[in-house]
Amino acid sequence: MASILPASNKSMRSDRNTYIGKKFVHVKNPHLDSMEEDILYHFDLGTKTHNLPAMFGDVKFVCVGGSPNRMKAFALLMQKELGYEECGEELEDICAGTDRYCMYKTGPVLSISHGMGVPSISIMLHELIKLLYHARCCDVTIIRIGTSGGVGIEPGSVVITDTAVDAFFKPRFEQVILDNIVTRSTELDKDLAEKLFKCSKEIPNFPALIGHTMCTDDFYEGQGRLDGALCSFSREKKLDYLKRAYKAGVRNIEMESTVFAAMCRLCGLKAAVVCVTLLNRFESDQINLPHEVLVEYQQRPQLLISNFIKQQLGLHRIS
Ligand code: R2B
Ligand code: URA
């Protein structure tokens, strides 16, 4: 597939994916170059049917989150905050041709849903990274905004992840490829996490902290819950596990951060994870917040990221 880097001008490149100081989103798949067309099946987009550079070439921020409604709400918020609403611009789901994921674009900000769990976000990320690559995007920041269970912290706290860890508290993502296990690093961009934390301090009464986020493959037994259809351990064993997680630096638990960190890191995207906690897992397993409280909590990561994006675009106003 065509490269935009002039082959002759090697002096301007510091490595294959950087050109005149710009960091391009890249793929690590030699087979893609020999494909005539790339169909991004779960987005209902493709390189022959859509002009991806024209549609997405200006994207600088990508926000992803589990629920389609929440990602639409985030897109509406960005539309308002970036002044696109006043221009009368309609918000349309770019992936309307499929009901797997939703996608909205407001100027340089893309908002996409990813569903629940590693397999769902992983499929979305493969296609998103290829989309950004085909569109020749550079200097892209990607942020997962979501919900989580807190470990030893007040419900409603927003955790900015420094490192995503697996259920053994290790900073790794294990991908089964053919019949091998390939282990990938889950380190996130520390500078971005610090910038987000600094930004959170500018919002009045905004409870935020930096900590490790544990990613599991299940919401119930996989997160040490006693209230699933199956449970094979005692309350004592559950509490012992959560205490060890806390001691290892874990402050919240969710279901996508390790694969998100691993894939974005390998493909040149600056990545962050920002999740609100809906409960303190030392206290309960069930989420029993009143609806209005749940809605307000879920808006917290959105508020932080919209302020951060405005700040980065030089439109800073805390709201
Ligand atoms: C957080 O919340 C979802 C489970 O309720 C899951 O997608 C996650 O990571
Ligand atoms: N999401 C999770 O994965 N776990 C929780 O406890 C709450 C939300």
Side-chain angles (χ1 to χ4, degrees), residues 1-165:
M1 247 163 253
S3 163
I4 59 158
L5 303 182
S8 56
N9 209 342
K10 285 196 177 126
S11 62
M12 284 173 148
R13 299 190 232 171
S14 53
D15 68 55
R16 279 181 65 225
N17 304 307
T18 307
Y19 180 64
I20 341 182
K22 291 185 194 303
K23 191 173 182 189
F24 284 84
V25 178
H26 49 272
V27 289
K28 297 203 159 179
N29 177 0
H31 303 288
L32 282 184
D33 277 344
S34 57
M35 281 164 51
E36 246 186 53
E37 179 180 16
D38 190 6
I39 296 168
L40 308 176
Y41 165 66
H42 301 87
F43 287 164
D44 195 31
L45 295 172
T47 50
K48 277 212 169 150
T49 46
H50 298 80
N51 183 345
L52 299 178
M55 287 172 77
F56 299 103
D58 62 341
V59 167
K60 295 293 172 205
F61 298 94
V62 181
C63 294
V64 304
S67 127
N69 281 340
R70 239 190 299 123
M71 295 325 287
K72 183 171 186 184
F74 178 73
L76 286 166
L77 176 68
M78 287 317 307
Q79 204 183 33
K80 179 167 153 251
E81 294 296 320
L82 300 184
Y84 284 78
E85 204 182 42
E86 288 147 28
C87 307
E89 208 164 286
E90 281 284 314
L91 196 61
E92 274 176 35
D93 182 358
I94 299 167
C95 297
T98 159
D99 57 4
R100 294 297 184 185
Y101 305 108
C102 71
M103 182 188 291
Y104 301 94
K105 186 173 179 298
T106 307
V109 183
L110 205 55
S111 173
I112 312 170
S113 67
H114 59 61
M116 284 192 284
V118 164
S120 181
I121 194 174
S122 157
I123 295 167
M124 191 285 283
L125 285 173
H126 276 281
E127 294 183 15
L128 170 65
I129 291 167
K130 291 197 295 171
L131 181 155
L132 298 172
Y133 165 74
H134 293 313
R136 299 165 198 159
C137 293
C138 63
D139 300 327
V140 176
T141 296
I142 182 165
I143 304 172
R144 162 166 146 72
I145 49 179
T147 56
S148 62
V151 182
I153 57 176
E154 273 295 297
S157 307
V158 173
V159 179
I160 301 163
T161 308
D162 53 5
T163 307
V165 298

Side-chain angles (χ1 to χ4, degrees), residues 12 14 18 28 135 170 189 194 196 205 246 267 274 284 290:
M12 284 173 148
S14 53
T18 307
K28 297 203 159 179
K170 296 265 188 335
D189 191 293
E194 284 297 338
L196 288 166
N205 305 317
Y246 186 89
C267 297
V274 175
S284 63

Side-chain angles (χ1 to χ4, degrees), residues 66 70 114-117 144 146-148 219 223 253-256 287:
R70 239 190 299 123
H114 59 61
M116 284 192 284
R144 162 166 146 72
T147 56
S148 62
F219 183 83
Q223 294 187 6
I253 310 175
E254 47 77 273
M255 298 179 61
E256 293 86 14
I287 298 166

Side-chain angles (χ1 to χ4, degrees), residues 131-298:
L131 181 155
L132 298 172
Y133 165 74
H134 293 313
R136 299 165 198 159
C137 293
C138 63
D139 300 327
V140 176
T141 296
I142 182 165
I143 304 172
R144 162 166 146 72
I145 49 179
T147 56
S148 62
V151 182
I153 57 176
E154 273 295 297
S157 307
V158 173
V159 179
I160 301 163
T161 308
D162 53 5
T163 307
V165 298
D166 67 10
F168 301 89
F169 321 137
K170 296 265 188 335
R172 65 183 180 194
F173 173 65
E174 293 188 327
Q175 173 78 57
V176 178
I177 302 178
L178 307 183
D179 49 359
N180 290 306
I181 295 176
V182 174
T183 303
R184 293 177 171 156
S185 163
T186 55
E187 217 179 290
L188 287 156
D189 191 293
K190 296 269 184 306
D191 178 56
L192 177 59
E194 284 297 338
K195 281 195 179 124
L196 288 166
F197 185 54
K198 199 161 161 238
C199 186
S200 77
K201 288 193 184 155
E202 292 165 26
I203 306 174
N205 305 317
F206 195 89
L209 60 134
I210 293 187
H212 295 357
T213 295
M214 180 162 79
C215 177
T216 67
D217 279 337
D218 172 46
F219 183 83
Y220 288 98
E221 286 178 296
Q223 294 187 6
R225 277 189 159 79
L226 302 169
D227 62 341
L230 303 174
C231 184
S232 53
F233 48 85
S234 65
R235 180 175 303 277
E236 289 67 38
K237 286 270 183 220
K238 163 198 160 174
L239 290 175
D240 172 65
Y241 180 63
L242 293 179
K243 274 185 204 152
R244 286 188 286 116
Y246 186 89
K247 221 172 141 201
V250 171
R251 293 296 175 270
N252 66 337
I253 310 175
E254 47 77 273
M255 298 179 61
E256 293 86 14
S257 58
T258 49
V259 71
F260 173 79
M263 289 184 71
C264 295
R265 185 186 150 80
L266 286 170
C267 297
L269 288 149
K270 238 187 213 188
V273 178
V274 175
C275 290
V276 69
T277 59
L278 303 181
L279 75 173
N280 178 358
R281 290 297 316 288
F282 283 122
E283 273 154 25
S284 63
D285 290 337
Q286 298 238 307
I287 298 166
N288 52 13
L289 297 167
H291 180 71
E292 347 43 279
V293 177
L294 189 62
V295 169
E296 194 272 313
Y297 282 4
Q298 290 184 3

